[in-house]
Amino acid sequence: MSRAASLSRLGDRALGVLGIVAFLLVWELVPRLHIVSDAYLSPPSQIIVTIWDLVSSGALFKHLFASLQRSLYGLLSAIVLGVVLGLLMGWFTRFEAIVDPILQLFRQTSAFALFPVFILFLGIGETSKVAIIFWASFWPVLLSTISGVKQVDRLLIDSARSMGANRLFVFRKVVLPAASPSIFTGVRLAGTYCITALVAAEMIGAHSGLGFLTLNSQEVFQIPTMYAGILLLALLGLALNYVLAVVERRLTRWRKGLTLNG
């Protein structure tokens, strides 16, 4: 990377930091100057104090652990099943012809609309909460995996077969690596949907978790705690996306520096 490009990148980052600082400053001043009542909008400084109080009391770790456990169970289950089923549907056209109509029917049904069904069959315990997170996270992984397999350059497949490669070898060494960028796109989208579903799951029948903390604080009018819960959920989503991005870079190192000219 050239010096000019490095400076440009640093400048972009500085502008990004400046934008965040400006946003936080405006947010701090609006309730402090009583433009909006602090009964409805807590300033960031008060939210940070509230988060520290949650840390000091140990309550934050209880809620954070519960949310992490639910989201990871649901997300990991969605990734495993979504990738496996997506690879099978993308590679075996007859299998796709059998399964796709059923999946298309279910795909149109919102995870939140199915929540009463999950509760009816699975109860209001942890299983129903993991189920709704799984359902919301499953579809982006499945669809991206199918798309990735189908978009593999046919020339690559034909070239491998012309050199005597069997079907399994072509799938493992050609199709799977070529489809991996699309698969990881679906996984990262699933991470976003996972946090959205987590909030909904924890707002019904839960006694712990960041979603429960947010809703319960709103009901008892502990507004700083409510905003603390919202901020922590946003940070959890960012952290999850960062982890998935790191995993993607580690597993697709072979793409680094790859150019059209080889």
Side-chain angles (χ1 to χ4, degrees), residues 31-212:
R32 296 291 184 189
L33 298 177
H34 303 292
I35 299 173
V36 175
S37 173
D38 58 3
Y40 303 110
L41 182 64
S42 301
S45 58
Q46 189 175 3
I47 295 171
I48 291 172
V49 171
T50 301
I51 292 175
W52 177 251
D53 291 340
L54 289 171
V55 172
S56 301
S57 65
L60 177 61
F61 301 106
K62 168 192 169 185
H63 294 299
L64 183 60
F65 178 76
S67 292
L68 278 173
Q69 188 176 43
R70 291 164 185 151
S71 58
L72 288 179
Y73 282 163
L75 179 60
L76 292 176
S77 300
I79 291 173
V80 171
L81 185 59
V83 170
V84 171
L85 189 58
L87 290 173
L88 291 174
M89 290 179 66
W91 189 239
F92 299 104
T93 54
R94 290 183 179 177
F95 179 75
E96 181 187 19
I98 296 170
V99 177
D100 186 64
I102 302 171
L103 291 178
Q104 289 298 332
L105 176 64
F106 282 120
R107 187 168 72 90
Q108 305 307 319
T109 308
S110 167
F112 307 121
L114 286 175
F115 202 21
V117 179
F118 291 142
I119 292 177
L120 184 64
F121 281 92
L122 304 174
I124 60 173
E126 293 300 307
T127 308
S128 61
K129 295 174 180 57
V130 172
I132 191 174
I133 294 169
F134 163 80
W135 189 269
S137 306
F138 171 72
W139 300 106
V141 179
L142 174 67
L143 297 176
S144 295
T145 302
I146 295 173
S147 176
V149 174
K150 287 183 173 296
Q151 290 177 7
V152 175
D153 192 343
R154 192 71 197 179
L155 181 61
L156 296 175
I157 297 175
D158 292 340
S159 298
R161 285 181 174 172
S162 69
M163 291 185 287
N166 59 35
R167 193 175 177 86
L168 179 60
F169 182 90
V170 171
F171 179 78
R172 288 176 54 244
K173 298 298 184 179
V174 178
V175 174
L176 193 56
S180 60
S182 182
I183 294 173
F184 277 108
T185 297
V187 168
R188 293 179 68 175
L189 280 173
T192 301
Y193 294 159
C194 164
I195 299 300
T196 304
L198 171 69
V199 176
E202 291 184 340
M203 285 184 173
I204 302 176
H207 300 287
S208 61
L210 297 177
F212 165 78

